[in-house]
Amino acid sequence: MNILMINGTMRKGSTYRIAKMFVERVTLSQDTVNELFLPKDMPEFCRGCGVCIMRDEKRCPDYLIYLKRITRLIDEADLLVFATPTYVYHTTGQIKALLDHYGYRWMVHRPEASMFKKQAVCFATAAGGGMKSALKDITDSLKWWGVGRIYTYGVAIRSIEWDKVDKPIKDKIDRKVNQLMAKIVHERERVMPSLYTRVLFYVMRYMHSRTFMQQIDTDYWREMEWLDSKRPWITENPKPTEIPEDTEAKETVYMSETAVKDENVREYKKEEEKQ
């Protein structure tokens, strides 16, 4: 499994520690883990030019420098892990700036097919409250991206520093992290999108089939064959391919059979000579 952890701040505080704890526990020996730290890995705000939606996401001014790498990491990941402290009852501006760049991937436009088989876990902490709205800032995008399964955990830690968090709260966090870990499926083929995601897909499919949307998006849906019978969360069984005859193998078998026959003939002649 490929895991991508997206941190909403450069500071490795309580939120980072909890999310990192989860990643370390859910990771198997053969898994790959990548981390992004915002705003270092994506310092630019969306300019609102609309080029990504109306023309091509690769024409975004930030594509070559930042988004190309980030998009590749997102697409390769099986599990997305978001970690955000709560800033004035919302996610950090850095995460919001990143998500704004992916408006073209909302299901109403051109969602990435692999999203429907991905899982995501979002963590938010606060000294007091606001975790629910902070998590919603992230999950709104993930749902509209088509992410198959989304889990969230918000916790009030009653402290600014992790070392000063009370032990009962840490014990509660420990149990919750284990529960989340148990829910994660390591095989992508076993991830089925939630009912909400599938209903949203069919609503968007209906709108595209009635040409209510802009042409570039409808053309994308048609190219993906989603307006027909194909669905992004269903893996098609590959067609069996004819295996070419292995002439060399056949010759080897033939030579082996011939050698056995020759050996039998020699043994037979030896027996006759003895007699």
Side-chain angles (χ1 to χ4, degrees), residues 88-104:
V88 292
Y89 269 45
H90 289 283
T91 188
T92 65
Q94 296 93 302
I95 282 189
K96 180 65 168 61
L98 173 66
L99 296 176
D100 286 347
H101 281 86
Y102 289 99
Y104 72 92

Side-chain angles (χ1 to χ4, degrees), residues 40-72:
K40 177 177 69 69
D41 291 305
M42 183 62 237
E44 299 292 341
F45 288 100
C46 172
R47 294 162 176 77
C49 62
V51 170
C52 62
I53 293 176
M54 296 183 292
R55 297 179 66 187
D56 186 345
E57 62 273 13
K58 294 180 181 179
R59 293 178 179 270
C60 172
D62 301 316
Y63 177 76
L64 288 176
I65 300 176
Y66 301 109
L67 291 177
K68 183 177 181 180
R69 171 176 173 262
I70 294 174
T71 302
R72 175 179 58 79

Side-chain angles (χ1 to χ4, degrees), residues 193-234:
S194 66
L195 177 60
Y196 177 92
T197 301
R198 283 176 282 159
V199 169
L200 190 58
F201 174 87
Y202 282 111
V203 171
M204 295 301 107
R205 178 180 179 274
Y206 173 82
M207 296 178 71
H208 281 290
S209 65
R210 295 297 183 272
T211 64
F212 293 157
M213 305 302 197
Q214 64 175 359
Q215 193 61 45
I216 185 175
D217 297 334
T218 300
D219 289 343
Y220 175 83
W221 278 67
R222 186 174 291 111
E223 179 184 345
M224 300 299 291
E225 299 181 25
W226 294 341
L227 300 184
D228 300 319
S229 59
K230 194 172 182 179
R231 300 294 175 264
W233 57 85
I234 299 177

Side-chain angles (χ1 to χ4, degrees), residues 164-207:
K164 295 181 180 179
V165 176
D166 293 338
K167 187 178 184 302
I169 295 178
K170 287 186 176 180
D171 291 341
K172 177 184 176 182
I173 292 170
D174 185 78
R175 291 192 298 270
K176 184 63 178 180
V177 166
N178 286 336
Q179 291 173 6
L180 287 170
M181 178 188 66
K183 292 180 179 180
I184 298 301
V185 177
H186 278 73
E187 295 80 14
R188 176 178 287 189
E189 289 73 19
R190 293 176 58 190
V191 177
M192 175 61 69
S194 66
L195 177 60
Y196 177 92
T197 301
R198 283 176 282 159
V199 169
L200 190 58
F201 174 87
Y202 282 111
V203 171
M204 295 301 107
R205 178 180 179 274
Y206 173 82
M207 296 178 71

Side-chain angles (χ1 to χ4, degrees), residues 20-274:
K20 190 68 173 178
M21 181 195 308
F22 166 79
V23 169
E24 289 174 348
R25 293 183 185 181
V26 81
T27 302
L28 302 180
S29 58
Q30 68 272 21
D31 293 342
T32 301
V33 178
N34 292 295
E35 289 189 49
L36 294 175
F37 288 90
L38 305 176
K40 177 177 69 69
D41 291 305
M42 183 62 237
E44 299 292 341
F45 288 100
C46 172
R47 294 162 176 77
C49 62
V51 170
C52 62
I53 293 176
M54 296 183 292
R55 297 179 66 187
D56 186 345
E57 62 273 13
K58 294 180 181 179
R59 293 178 179 270
C60 172
D62 301 316
Y63 177 76
L64 288 176
I65 300 176
Y66 301 109
L67 291 177
K68 183 177 181 180
R69 171 176 173 262
I70 294 174
T71 302
R72 175 179 58 79
L73 291 174
I74 290 175
D75 290 349
E76 291 176 352
D78 302 298
L79 174 63
L80 301 172
V81 180
F82 284 82
T84 179
T86 302
Y87 288 180
V88 292
Y89 269 45
H90 289 283
T91 188
T92 65
Q94 296 93 302
I95 282 189
K96 180 65 168 61
L98 173 66
L99 296 176
D100 286 347
H101 281 86
Y102 289 99
Y104 72 92
R105 283 201 165 188
W106 275 41
M107 217 179 299
V108 67
H109 296 297
R110 302 185 298 280
E112 163 62 31
S114 64
M115 290 294 169
F116 293 85
K117 293 185 178 181
K118 295 185 189 299
Q119 301 176 97
V121 182
C122 305
F123 295 92
T125 66
M131 296 81 66
K132 185 176 181 180
S133 53
L135 290 168
K136 187 176 184 297
D137 291 336
I138 302 173
T139 57
D140 279 346
S141 281
L142 297 183
K143 289 175 182 177
W144 280 89
W145 285 3
V147 173
R149 290 287 171 177
I150 303 170
Y151 305 98
T152 62
Y153 180 45
V155 56
I157 56 175
R158 311 300 179 194
S159 175
I160 300 297
E161 299 178 19
W162 176 253
D163 293 337
K164 295 181 180 179
V165 176
D166 293 338
K167 187 178 184 302
I169 295 178
K170 287 186 176 180
D171 291 341
K172 177 184 176 182
I173 292 170
D174 185 78
R175 291 192 298 270
K176 184 63 178 180
V177 166
N178 286 336
Q179 291 173 6
L180 287 170
M181 178 188 66
K183 292 180 179 180
I184 298 301
V185 177
H186 278 73
E187 295 80 14
R188 176 178 287 189
E189 289 73 19
R190 293 176 58 190
V191 177
M192 175 61 69
S194 66
L195 177 60
Y196 177 92
T197 301
R198 283 176 282 159
V199 169
L200 190 58
F201 174 87
Y202 282 111
V203 171
M204 295 301 107
R205 178 180 179 274
Y206 173 82
M207 296 178 71
H208 281 290
S209 65
R210 295 297 183 272
T211 64
F212 293 157
M213 305 302 197
Q214 64 175 359
Q215 193 61 45
I216 185 175
D217 297 334
T218 300
D219 289 343
Y220 175 83
W221 278 67
R222 186 174 291 111
E223 179 184 345
M224 300 299 291
E225 299 181 25
W226 294 341
L227 300 184
D228 300 319
S229 59
K230 194 172 182 179
R231 300 294 175 264
W233 57 85
I234 299 177
T235 303
E236 295 183 352
N237 295 324
K239 295 181 179 179
T241 56
E242 292 185 3
I243 302 175
E245 294 184 356
D246 193 335
T247 306
E248 184 178 350
K250 275 192 167 185
E251 289 178 352
T252 303
V253 172
Y254 174 76
M255 290 174 65
S256 300
E257 291 175 348
T258 303
V260 171
K261 289 179 181 178
D262 291 343
E263 183 66 24
N264 290 338
V265 169
R266 284 194 292 271
E267 291 293 330
Y268 178 76
K269 287 184 177 180
K270 287 180 181 178
E271 290 295 328
E272 280 192 328
E273 289 175 358
K274 287 180 182 180

